[in-house]
Amino acid sequence: MNNTRHNINLTMQNVKPKKQLGQHFLTSQQIAKDIVDALTTNGNAIEIGPGMGVLSRYLFQRPELNMRLIEVDGESVDYLKANYPEKADTVVFGDFLRLDADSFFGEGENFSVIGNFPYNISSQIFFRILEYKDRVPMIVGMLQREVAQRFSSGPGTRDYGILSVFLQAYYDIEYLFTVHEDVFNPPPKVKSGVIRLTRNSVTKLDCDEALFRRVVKATFGQRRKTIWNGLKSLGVNLIALQDDPVMKKRPEQLSVADFVNLTNKVASQIPRQG
Ligand code: SAH
């Protein structure tokens, strides 16, 4: 007789990894501990994609943390609630990319973020976190190694990109360590890297921040081209800036401060309305 269906919430069978959800379960307890130890904040924290709870287990051991776990896989949610019944209320079934943080904690409260992120949506996760940047003092995350390096690498390196600039504008970023594929079930095809982002003291960039975002996106959208060519898509007449030396550079050569300067130059060429 097959009674599995009735037992599903009572047994503690392992979750079957689902590729489309980016599920690669970490099997090393030591690495899980190291990742959790890297989170040095107290108070509210969200774990994205807890899966079978390899990190959650250590997070739950820290009474100074007020955890919420958000997981899009129903089977993992059932597993966590069955295995951590006293923490069942902290496990939320949902998509982090659609999260309203105010439904988790009090309105406007700060929260840190931790997770072994689903690699297929790690950029989207960071864009979403940036929307909450003034409330997120620290992020500790495991990502595909190349992506982790990209976020933490400075101007002049091949990996430097749009998210590097946006994240480095507001966070100090440390590459902590590399994780080999054989400590996951199933092993991913790539190596992983753990990074820590600590909010810096910048509350507002010294420029129009919306224009800053457009300038960064426009220039990296044409990564192989010069700044001059990349900025054409903005539709602003920049002819007066044509001989400025920055126009001959490429986006990956510019630091956050250089982009701020560039944004102010572009702004000076936009006719005032009214
Ligand atoms: N933290 C676990 C699992 C990592 S795999 C471990 O280290 O073993 C990534 C996890 O993210 C999976 O459990 C997957 O179901 C979950 N996930 C994928 N997309 C998600 C989303 N949009 N929101 C929340 N969780 C998501």
Side-chain angles (χ1 to χ4, degrees):
M1 194 179 83
N2 184 347
N3 61 359
T4 335
R5 201 173 303 200
H6 302 285
N7 286 342
I8 200 142
N9 287 325
L10 303 174
T11 57
M12 294 188 183
Q13 281 171 14
N14 284 352
V15 174
K16 187 176 176 300
K18 298 164 199 71
K19 198 178 170 193
Q20 72 278 14
L21 293 178
Q23 288 184 335
H24 296 275
F25 297 119
L26 179 66
T27 55
S28 161
Q29 297 298 320
Q30 185 56 50
I31 295 172
K33 266 191 221 153
D34 291 345
I35 293 171
V36 168
D37 285 346
L39 184 75
T40 55
T41 50
N42 296 337
N44 297 334
I46 296 179
E47 184 188 351
I48 302 175
M52 286 198 289
V54 65
L55 299 182
S56 327
R57 179 178 161 193
Y58 297 104
L59 291 162
F60 287 151
Q61 289 172 9
R62 290 174 52 177
E64 78 280 12
L65 288 174
N66 177 31
M67 292 304 305
R68 292 291 180 279
L69 282 49
I70 184 159
E71 172 56 66
V72 81
D73 173 36
E75 194 186 348
S76 293
V77 170
D78 289 345
Y79 177 94
L80 290 164
K81 286 183 187 275
N83 280 278
Y84 299 96
E86 72 288 2
K87 299 286 185 185
D89 291 348
T90 70
V91 184
V92 177
F93 175 45
D95 177 351
F96 175 76
L97 298 178
R98 292 157 187 270
L99 171 75
D100 170 13
D102 289 331
S103 67
F104 267 15
F105 308 113
E107 202 179 320
E109 281 187 32
N110 284 0
F111 57 91
S112 292
V113 176
I114 188 165
N116 292 341
F117 297 150
Y119 296 170
N120 48 343
I121 56 164
S122 55
S123 292
Q124 286 151 279
I125 287 174
F126 277 93
F127 276 113
R128 187 89 180 105
I129 293 173
L130 275 169
E131 292 175 32
Y132 287 104
K133 65 183 187 312
D134 293 331
R135 295 168 56 181
V136 179
M138 186 176 284
I139 307 150
V140 172
M142 179 149 66
L143 312 166
Q144 184 178 331
R145 181 178 60 176
E146 282 66 30
V147 178
Q149 285 168 337
R150 185 178 310 153
F151 292 172
S152 51
S153 68
T157 58
R158 187 181 53 106
D159 286 330
Y160 187 66
I162 294 181
L163 260 176
S164 321
V165 177
F166 289 162
L167 290 170
Q168 288 173 21
Y170 303 103
Y171 287 91
D172 296 331
I173 307 179
E174 301 161 85
Y175 185 94
L176 299 181
F177 53 87
T178 299
V179 182
H180 196 271
E181 48 271 41
D182 64 9
V183 294
F184 294 91
N185 174 38
K189 290 204 174 68
V190 292
K191 294 215 173 359
S192 302
V194 177
I195 54 173
R196 172 165 59 199
L197 300 88
T198 308
R199 187 74 171 85
N200 64 22
S201 60
V202 173
T203 49
K204 194 194 163 304
L205 299 175
D206 291 327
C207 65
D208 174 339
E209 292 188 314
L211 185 60
F212 173 88
R213 288 193 288 274
R214 286 176 61 208
V215 165
V216 173
K217 283 185 180 163
T219 53
F220 275 105
Q222 309 276 334
R223 181 183 257 286
R224 324 268 308 258
K225 297 195 177 167
T226 60
I227 298 294
W228 172 254
N229 279 316
L231 288 177
K232 283 186 179 153
S233 67
L234 287 181
V236 178
N237 181 353
L238 298 174
I239 197 76
L241 301 176
Q242 191 169 18
D243 295 329
D244 190 303
V246 73
M247 292 299 168
K248 294 210 167 54
K249 295 198 169 169
R250 284 167 210 282
E252 62 268 25
Q253 296 175 279
L254 303 196
S255 66
V256 171
D258 295 332
F259 273 110
V260 168
N261 285 335
L262 178 61
T263 302
N264 285 325
K265 287 176 185 170
V266 172
S268 73
Q269 301 304 305
I270 299 177
R272 292 197 184 276
Q273 303 194 325

